[in-house]
Amino acid sequence: MSITNGPMPDDATGLRKTSRLGALLQRSEAARGFTLLSPTLFIMAVGILVPIGILVVMSFWTQVGFGFDTTATTANYQMAAERPIYGALLRRSLWMSGMATMATVILSYPMAYFVAFHVHRNKMMWIVLITLPFWTSYLLRVFAWKVVLGYHGVINSALMNLGLIEAPLEFLLYSQSAVVITLAHAWAAFAILPMYVSLEKIDKSLLEAATDLGDGPIARFLRITLPLSLPGVISASLLIFIPTTGDYITPTLLGGPDGAMIGNLIQKQFGAINNWPMGAALSIILMLSIGAIAVSFMLIANFVRKRIS
Amino acid sequence: MTQNDAFISIQNVNKYFGKFHAINDVSIDIKHGEFFSLLGSSGCGKTTLLRMLAGFENPTSGEIYIDGQPMSGVPPHHRPVNMVFQSYAIFPHLNVRDNIAYGLRKQKLPRAQRDALVDEMLDLIKLPDYGDHKANQLSGGQRQRIALARSLILRPKVLLLDEPLGALDKQLREQMQLELRALQKTVGITFVFVTHDQEEALTLSDRMAVMSNGRDLQVDTPTRLYESPINREVASFIGTMNFFDGRVKALTNGGAEIEAVGLGNLCTSNIPPNLKPGQSVCVAIRPEKLSLSRDAQSGFNQVKGRLDNAAYLGERSHYYVSIEGVSKPVAVSVQNRQRANGNGENQCPVWLSWEDNAFVVLGNG
């Protein structure tokens, strides 16, 4: 460093350069922000933007044997629009993950509410306990549901032993409801945590003020607690809806023919069917539909929030 | 039922939080239309008492009557009282207008009538153009007024205020004190006001209660609390007070002659009941009731001392004078009518004098 008898001019310029960079960082908050973001930005650019770019480009190609015809064409999109199977699978996927999202949020809200308002000591322990099932692998939990819902599974054998049913209920496994139940359980933690955070943030004196101004418990919940926790509900819904729509593991294991989703088809395009451009086109369509639904959901939620308050 | 004409009657109320005795056998009567303050340092139980009036806490024993109705078992949203919270608790997702109209929803008024009421309130709190502002665009003083309007629009029988001016800076606080007082006269609603600021309580209240450790020490008008505190605790809580040990020499017609340590004999009619000759007592005097001079005056009520310390405060100066036989220097407050010509050299001899009845004899306890 400058204490040693190194060449003076170099040292001086080096010093000036760092101080100039330092000054820039000092002055501009944006520069500081980008510096902090840069590792993430790099990964996002390389790991997300580039693959999506490839996907978009590939969706305009066509599969010829084991190679690609790289002339740009919208044939894949036309086929997706024309063949009813694609639209039907997409609609079913959106419907099923919509159901799963609703079930998860409705079942998780009371848990988040309980921890936020009625647990006063060891909140952290409760949060850890709630996330405890999620420490096991996703695949294991899906298999566990297979055991619970199966033909000779926990529910069926219990009901039969109690004499409530003669034969096993067949609709439990390999159906849409099986997929919805499993997804709702598998994603519960992702719903509880954001909703807990937004409920926890609500100033308790707001609730007292609402009571003081004449609201009973239900009116107070609808007019204060729910609107103020809506950001948490929205982020929970999106956190679940977006990844579950494209899920293919759960429908593969539990869905049966009725419970297959668009994710299964996309997986097949890249696998057995070996039509990557078609798979790419389907992925893009899926992304766009999820994006459109997420945006309209946020707009509706905002509108509702204004109306109920 | 209540046995008097009190509008709010707090009768032998106790409150325990676990083993902590937060409210210790408090009985207070508040008249209709009164501006009543609960004054005390933090943790004295004044906010707990207010929250019991609002219904957010229930007394462990005792009963609270409002307008003749016992309040035990009545939930907060069914009580004829409204509260202005210390944090104001303005609903962040609503604009000013919806905040003020919040409690009206239950009354199912036609929209036009509701809007007219809200406009009236916005005028009253002098924020007529702020109806569409969001809560996070408001200053502390504005939030405070909206919290007031939100409660007043419901025409409660009693308005409870939990240190509503505590978060404001000094100038705004003094302005809001005047406005609050004027507002209370206009609407004619009984106000119960919690504060730890004795000056604020003295300025605003018709009557006030001084509280300490969950007990009400004295309930009286600001004047009587300041001039005739019943004991040393009250006397030292409100303003500054000089205390002297003494002994009752004789009882005179409506007063007493006291022999006080360091002061000699003094006469006063500010005495507690049941005073007996020969009894040891504590006598006290406010700093502004003492006069300071360099030379002895004619008359009896004076004592010689030495100037210890002086502080110039602008409109007045505080002097501390040590008197032989008294351990603590005596505080004297003098108005600077003329331009102060120096604070006087330390250790110079001075004379302290007072008028008859300037001293107060304090009861025990």
Side-chain angles (χ1 to χ4, degrees), chain B residues 13-14 31 39 45 73 88 118 126 140 149 163 174 192 197 199 207 218 238-239 258 278 281 310:
Chain B
V13 164
N14 280 284
K31 297 194 200 82
L39 175 67
Y88 310 142
V118 173
K126 298 178 187 133
E163 307 219 17
E174 282 168 5
V192 181
D197 184 333
E199 223 173 287
R207 285 193 314 141
Q218 187 173 0
I238 296 182
I258 313 281
V281 289

Side-chain angles (χ1 to χ4, degrees), chain A residues 269-282:
Chain A
Q269 299 289 345
F270 284 100
I273 298 175
N274 193 26
N275 187 350
W276 286 26
M278 189 65 209
L282 287 175

Side-chain angles (χ1 to χ4, degrees), chain A residues 254-292:
Chain A
L254 297 169
D258 285 345
M261 288 162 76
I262 191 89
N264 301 93
L265 188 59
I266 294 173
Q267 185 220 354
K268 285 204 179 95
Q269 299 289 345
F270 284 100
I273 298 175
N274 193 26
N275 187 350
W276 286 26
M278 189 65 209
L282 287 175
S283 302
I284 299 292
I285 293 171
L286 178 62
M287 263 192 271
L288 290 176
S289 344
I290 291 175

